[in-house]
Amino acid sequence: MLYTNATIVTVDPSRRVIGDGALRLENDKIADLGKTDQLRVKYPGEKEYDLSGRIVIPGLISTHMHTAQTLLRGTADDLELVSWLCERIWVLQGNFTEADGYAAARLSIGEMLKSGTTCFLESMFADRYGFDGLCRAVEESGIRGCLGKIVMDIARYAKDDAWAMHPGLAENRETSLLGTLRMWEKWNGKADDRIRVWFGARTPGGVSEALYREMTTLSHSKGIPITMHCAEVRADREFLSSVSHTPMSYCESVGLLSPSTVLAHMVHLDDFDIQRLSASGTHVAHCPTSNAKLASGICRVPDLQKANVNISLGTDGAPCNNTCDLLQEMKLAAIIHKSTSYDPTAIPAESVLEMATINGAKALGLDDRIGSLEIGKKADFVAIDMRGIHSQPWFNAVSAIVYTATGRDVDVVVVDGRMLVKDGELLTMDETEIVEEAKKRSREVVERAGLTEKTKGRWPVE
């Protein structure tokens, strides 16, 4: 199959952009790429799919995502993190069933695929949501999923006992750590190796040091990567100070710093923390919308870049972002640091596209397979339709993607050589069914949690 007549942003080592370019696929891999006229000559009679007016980029990679929370979109707006968690999100999630978890996963995956995300890192899937259902949703949809199952043994946030987790979410070592090992043995490498199982550790204060050390020992011996929220809000920093640590000295003390660890948010870091991150090869998942909306602060991305820390991008959950659209996340990531640094060159569009593609692949340990468009790599790519009035004119393909495009412009999505989205429509999932099921189950969760009134808007509805 030849995909022809596109502008192709390869994100390969030379960062080539190919005008009037084409991709040739063989099974699940990219077999060739170059100018359309040249590939037509090389492969006469090959079936073509015309992508005129589209920009093709590597499939987007979201390295911080809560699939369960998409069912709770709009239920906890305009709150800071601790209130958001303790008074709304934990209460709602503590009333989930496994069927709710499966419905939420399908809703999340459908939205991600339609907006160009082809691979994601689920950060912390609780046992009560039904991990098997999450894996089935990944398998059925065709997306790639690195799936973090929660690891915890302390049911509170940071050091305050008043910040208690809902009892329905509390887990112990047997359920969380050993449960993750069971799911790793069952699911890791399944769905043609599109599923990878990770440890999804809770934030310091939610996991005992002994359990962290047991987890990191298992991570290194079995090759199971780790993702964890870290230094997201001031309360995290204060907790770590109370045990005589900075965020990274604590992580180092329990074995978390590693090239197979992705730490999300990382807002409240000092210079020492950045040095330790750089030396360890640990990755950072930057979530600018979530950090801004929850008033958590702004990650020191320019300083992390100067220290050669690998920075990827994540949308976080729908209740603190309201969308799973990584293209929208890219725009904010490019803009917000210009504002805080007074430097318009602080994070250029090219750096942000790297965060959402090759840097994400590196963070997940998959950069030899995905993250760029190169011969021999997996055929994971997205075609973005730039023919609309809101997209014209454009002069630079990368800036057009980062500053103009949104997920609603995604036209074609291919993963493992298989088309999953065509003409902006899902091919492997029934969108109407997913939406109706999600609407029904979201209302049932809110009612079970007793939060119907609190999730209403501030203005009266007649």
Side-chain angles (χ1 to χ4, degrees), residues 183-226:
M183 290 298 101
W184 179 74
E185 290 166 356
K186 181 177 181 179
W187 285 103
N188 193 64
K190 294 297 174 66
D192 298 321
D193 204 25
R194 287 184 289 103
I195 294 175
R196 300 291 179 91
V197 177
W198 286 45
F199 289 121
R202 279 202 61 217
T203 312
V207 184
S208 66
E209 291 188 13
L211 192 60
Y212 271 137
R213 291 194 177 97
E214 184 178 3
M215 178 188 69
T216 56
T217 298
L218 287 167
S219 170
H220 299 317
S221 65
K222 292 182 175 292
I224 306 175
I226 297 169

Side-chain angles (χ1 to χ4, degrees), residues 53 386-394 404:
M386 302 300 292
R387 295 173 295 176
I389 193 169
H390 61 286
S391 302
Q392 289 291 332
W394 62 267
T404 303

Side-chain angles (χ1 to χ4, degrees), residues 322-398:
N322 299 70
T323 180
C324 304
D325 182 349
L326 201 65
L327 282 162
Q328 291 191 50
E329 199 72 26
M330 288 164 64
K331 181 173 183 177
L332 184 60
I335 288 172
I336 197 168
H337 302 288
K338 304 181 194 306
S339 176
T340 57
S341 67
Y342 299 96
D343 178 4
T345 68
I347 308 292
E350 290 80 3
S351 293
V352 175
L353 184 58
E354 289 169 341
M355 289 180 197
T357 55
I358 194 64
N359 291 10
K362 182 178 179 182
L364 302 183
L366 298 174
D367 51 313
D368 62 334
R369 311 178 68 186
I370 62 173
S372 61
L373 302 178
E374 301 178 62
I375 294 171
K377 279 197 169 184
K378 290 285 189 177
D380 289 15
F381 64 88
V382 175
I384 299 173
D385 194 337
M386 302 300 292
R387 295 173 295 176
I389 193 169
H390 61 286
S391 302
Q392 289 291 332
W394 62 267
F395 300 91
N396 174 327
V398 177

Side-chain angles (χ1 to χ4, degrees), residues 238-443:
E238 291 164 2
F239 167 79
L240 294 166
S241 295
S242 75
V243 292
S244 302
H245 276 291
T246 73
M248 292 306 96
S249 71
Y250 184 88
C251 287
E252 188 170 42
S253 75
V254 295
L256 281 163
L257 295 188
S258 160
S260 59
T261 296
V262 176
L263 298 177
H265 301 298
M266 300 290 276
V267 173
H268 297 275
L269 305 179
D270 60 23
D271 291 345
F272 166 83
D273 293 318
I274 293 174
Q275 292 168 8
R276 295 310 306 145
L277 270 174
S278 178
S280 68
T282 305
H283 312 277
V284 170
H286 181 35
C287 306
T289 299
S290 171
N291 297 153
K293 190 182 177 198
L294 293 173
S296 302
I298 298 174
C299 178
R300 295 173 58 183
V301 168
D303 294 331
L304 290 168
Q305 285 192 324
K306 289 173 185 174
N308 295 316
V309 174
N310 183 52
I311 306 164
S312 56
L313 208 59
T315 60
D316 207 345
C320 61
N321 187 321
N322 299 70
T323 180
C324 304
D325 182 349
L326 201 65
L327 282 162
Q328 291 191 50
E329 199 72 26
M330 288 164 64
K331 181 173 183 177
L332 184 60
I335 288 172
I336 197 168
H337 302 288
K338 304 181 194 306
S339 176
T340 57
S341 67
Y342 299 96
D343 178 4
T345 68
I347 308 292
E350 290 80 3
S351 293
V352 175
L353 184 58
E354 289 169 341
M355 289 180 197
T357 55
I358 194 64
N359 291 10
K362 182 178 179 182
L364 302 183
L366 298 174
D367 51 313
D368 62 334
R369 311 178 68 186
I370 62 173
S372 61
L373 302 178
E374 301 178 62
I375 294 171
K377 279 197 169 184
K378 290 285 189 177
D380 289 15
F381 64 88
V382 175
I384 299 173
D385 194 337
M386 302 300 292
R387 295 173 295 176
I389 193 169
H390 61 286
S391 302
Q392 289 291 332
W394 62 267
F395 300 91
N396 174 327
V398 177
S399 68
I401 292 298
V402 173
Y403 294 122
T404 303
T406 73
R408 293 176 179 85
D409 299 311
V410 169
D411 182 55
V412 170
V413 176
V414 173
V415 177
D416 250 1
R418 180 187 181 194
M419 190 181 291
L420 306 183
V421 175
K422 180 181 180 181
D423 299 325
E425 300 298 327
L426 292 168
L427 298 182
T428 57
M429 308 174 79
D430 185 331
E431 183 172 348
T432 300
E433 178 200 349
I434 290 168
V435 169
E436 290 306 311
E437 181 76 0
K439 285 164 61 178
K440 172 180 172 289
R441 291 195 170 277
S442 64
R443 282 160 177 74

Side-chain angles (χ1 to χ4, degrees), residues 103-122:
R106 294 177 77 214
L107 182 67
S108 298
I109 290 167
E111 183 183 354
M112 284 191 284
L113 284 173
K114 287 194 67 172
S115 55
T117 292
T118 59
C119 181
F120 71 98
L121 174 56
E122 159 61 50

